[in-house]
Amino acid sequence: MMNINKEQLIKMAVNGQVDHPRMGHFYVGCDGKGRLPVGTGGIVYNREIGDPCMNLAGDHVEPGVTIANPSDRENHALETLACIGNEAIVLNGPAEGAVGYVTGTHGGVDHTMLYFPHEEIEKMTGHEQFLVKAYGQGLKLLDYPEIYMMNIDPNLLLSMPIKEHELYLEFPVVTILPPYLMGAGLGQSTMMEGDYDIMTQDEESVYKYGIHELRFGDFVAVQDHETTYGPHYQKGSCTIGVVVHSDSFTSGHGPGLTVVATCESRILMPYIDKNANIKTYMEGMQRKL
């Protein structure tokens, strides 16, 4: 088992409610055409973690349940403290008592997304309140202090097939992307909330790097990007993220990654595992529990 500072981490209650979808003006895509797309927010009944995130009739679609808070300060606390894999509980309505987990956060709209089993999703009406047991910020790999961790539940991390070596660590991912494909979200000062996007406007790159096969919840590596205090190019570095929303037709956008690990040197190394998805590891973790 990996040597982490699990006993020092704080588990804290944060709350949110279903954030209703909003509709505004036309969005102009990279092709110059305006659209009023199905997009962020609400409850998505027919897309969940493990489903394809590409080629959908929507834009920045968030699978499962999207939650937020009306107050900015409370919402940023929810978005920052909630970590992928954290337990989430429905507090009211027909699905009261149902248990799911956090699947990621989405910057710009400041959303937190949750997975629940399909039969529980079908009961929901959009007026639900949720408890998230936030747990994971401050996580450290004690044998690899150069690697900066964020946004991941320690129990999820420990359930993953991470390969430890004397001088480096290998993290499972479905694909490895070059740094020039990362777009919207660059310039942020922290990745402890939100995400940044894989640009999908170049069709050749989409197929070359397997982006067309990405699923919600897939782990992805970005070469030569260091994101401890916001994403930037740094040769030799590596960032690992999780796909949290769907593709987009707008310039500079595409599937979003919530960052879980980053390092400025080659101590953090990716290896290809086509099953590297949070649904795979959450199911394994729940069987152990």
Side-chain angles (χ1 to χ4, degrees):
M1 183 173 291
M2 294 186 69
N3 187 18
I4 66 173
N5 65 334
K6 186 175 180 181
E7 298 305 316
Q8 282 72 51
L9 299 178
I10 304 300
K11 183 180 287 190
M12 180 179 291
V14 290
N15 297 89
Q17 62 191 45
V18 176
D19 197 48
H20 198 283
R22 295 172 174 84
M23 188 62 71
H25 52 76
F26 280 91
Y27 288 89
V28 177
C30 61
D31 55 5
K33 297 178 181 178
R35 298 171 177 84
L36 285 172
V38 175
T40 59
I43 297 171
V44 174
Y45 294 100
N46 63 345
R47 288 295 183 276
E48 63 178 36
I49 293 300
D51 289 341
C53 71
M54 302 293 289
N55 196 32
L56 302 182
D59 187 274
H60 286 80
V61 173
E62 300 164 337
V65 181
T66 292
I67 67 171
N69 283 306
S71 161
D72 285 343
R73 293 181 68 181
E74 291 177 359
N75 194 49
H76 281 297
L78 167 64
E79 193 184 2
T80 302
L81 298 176
C83 291
I84 294 170
N86 285 169
E87 184 179 10
I89 302 170
V90 184
L91 299 179
N92 64 324
E96 182 177 352
V99 178
Y101 57 85
V102 175
T103 62
T105 57
H106 186 180
V109 290
D110 298 326
H111 282 160
T112 301
M113 285 83 76
L114 310 176
Y115 166 88
F116 285 91
H118 181 71
E119 60 271 20
E120 302 297 344
I121 290 277
E122 286 292 336
K123 298 175 187 177
M124 296 183 189
T125 65
H127 298 283
E128 285 78 12
Q129 302 276 339
F130 299 85
L131 165 67
V132 172
K133 296 183 179 180
Y135 184 43
Q137 299 296 27
L139 175 64
K140 296 183 185 302
L141 307 183
L142 299 179
D143 296 326
Y144 307 90
E146 300 90 345
I147 299 175
Y148 192 89
M149 303 297 298
M150 64 187 94
N151 304 324
I152 188 167
D153 189 295
N155 294 312
L156 172 58
L157 181 72
L158 293 174
S159 74
M160 297 179 64
I162 294 171
K163 300 178 182 179
E164 295 189 73
H165 304 275
E166 184 177 354
L167 299 177
Y168 65 97
L169 179 148
E170 287 187 292
F171 208 103
V173 298
V174 300
T175 189
I176 303 170
L177 303 178
Y180 58 77
L181 284 181
M182 301 310 295
L186 294 175
Q188 296 183 69
S189 60
T190 179
M191 298 304 292
M192 288 180 68
E193 58 179 340
D195 66 312
Y196 74 136
D197 285 10
I198 304 166
M199 294 187 289
T200 54
Q201 286 73 55
D202 183 69
E203 185 175 1
E204 181 180 347
S205 295
V206 166
Y207 284 91
K208 178 178 179 180
Y209 295 103
I211 299 168
H212 64 295
E213 296 179 331
L214 285 180
R215 302 162 297 172
F216 297 113
D218 278 348
F219 285 86
V220 172
V222 183
Q223 291 179 316
D224 300 325
H225 263 211
E226 203 280 332
T227 55
T228 300
Y229 299 109
H232 57 267
Y233 176 83
Q234 185 167 329
K235 191 172 179 61
S237 61
C238 180
T239 284
I240 308 293
V242 173
V243 176
V244 295
H245 65 68
S246 78
D247 194 16
S248 172
F249 60 82
T250 54
S251 183
H253 288 258
L257 300 182
T258 290
V259 172
V260 298
T262 188
C263 187
E264 63 181 13
S265 66
R266 298 193 184 278
I267 294 171
L268 176 62
M269 301 287 288
Y271 76 91
I272 297 297
D273 178 354
K274 292 302 182 182
N275 295 314
N277 187 281
I278 59 175
K279 189 171 186 178
T280 302
Y281 306 137
M282 288 299 297
E283 289 175 348
M285 184 178 82
Q286 289 162 348
R287 281 195 295 270
K288 291 177 184 177
L289 296 175

